[in-house]
Amino acid sequence: MSFVFAPLPTPSLPIVGEEDRFPVRRIFCVGRNYAAHAREMGKDPDRDPPFFFTKPADAIVQNDETVAYPPETGNFHYEAELVVAIGRDGVNVPKDAALDLVYGYAVGNDLTRRDLQLEAREKGRPWDWGKAFDRSAPIAAIHKAADVGHLSTGSITLTVNGETKQEADLNELIWDVQEVISIISHSVALKAGDLIMTGTPAGVGKLVPGDVCVVSIDGLTPLTTTIGPAA
């Protein structure tokens, strides 16, 4: 088979304890999956069912890299997230079998052009320009579930320049990992290589050039991202 130009390399993430890397297919994101964050965004977590958006695989940023302040925004936000790495295909997966699909877990940061997201929301338009822009998905190394177990509790925190901005526990997820996997699999076929960013706690806020943002989850490799000047 030949192509009119060379195919782009497959985005991937390192795996703790392995030389091989994890090839990334798609990135699913859960919206408003912590009650306090839903409230700070003006929504009612007790009535809103889960909903999803996506980021392109090539939006991934490796740990300890610099992200240039993105264009067309004056309100660039951080969002600490637990990331689930899918290692087996699944369709219509029942909740009690959902963890069988999990390869491992990682720390992520759902970078967001909040002004563009909110403008789209107010107009009933897709969120892509606010969420799915270039280099909007910093993610640290994946830890295999076989090594760390399945994460249902534990601290998730985010600091900017050493100051804590987000702090919660994974057990505060409205829809837990099993439920999220099952719900997605009833709408689209999950495939090995898919990632799921499971939602962010309350406390989201602005980033500016020069900021150093660190996301930590108990038992996982922390994620450090520096914000550079606009390109």
Side-chain angles (χ1 to χ4, degrees), residues 195-208:
L195 300 177
I196 303 171
M197 303 184 81
T198 57
T200 196
V204 297
K206 286 186 177 182
L207 292 166
V208 298

Side-chain angles (χ1 to χ4, degrees), residues 158-187:
L158 181 145
T159 65
V160 178
N161 305 326
E163 181 180 352
T164 299
K165 299 292 187 178
Q166 291 183 282
E167 189 171 17
D169 194 285
L170 298 177
N171 64 17
E172 297 174 40
L173 285 166
I174 299 170
W175 305 92
D176 63 25
V177 170
Q178 292 167 275
E179 291 171 317
V180 166
I181 291 172
S182 178
I183 291 166
I184 293 175
S185 77
H186 281 78
S187 184

Side-chain angles (χ1 to χ4, degrees), residues 40 142 159:
E40 77 177 350
I142 295 171
T159 65

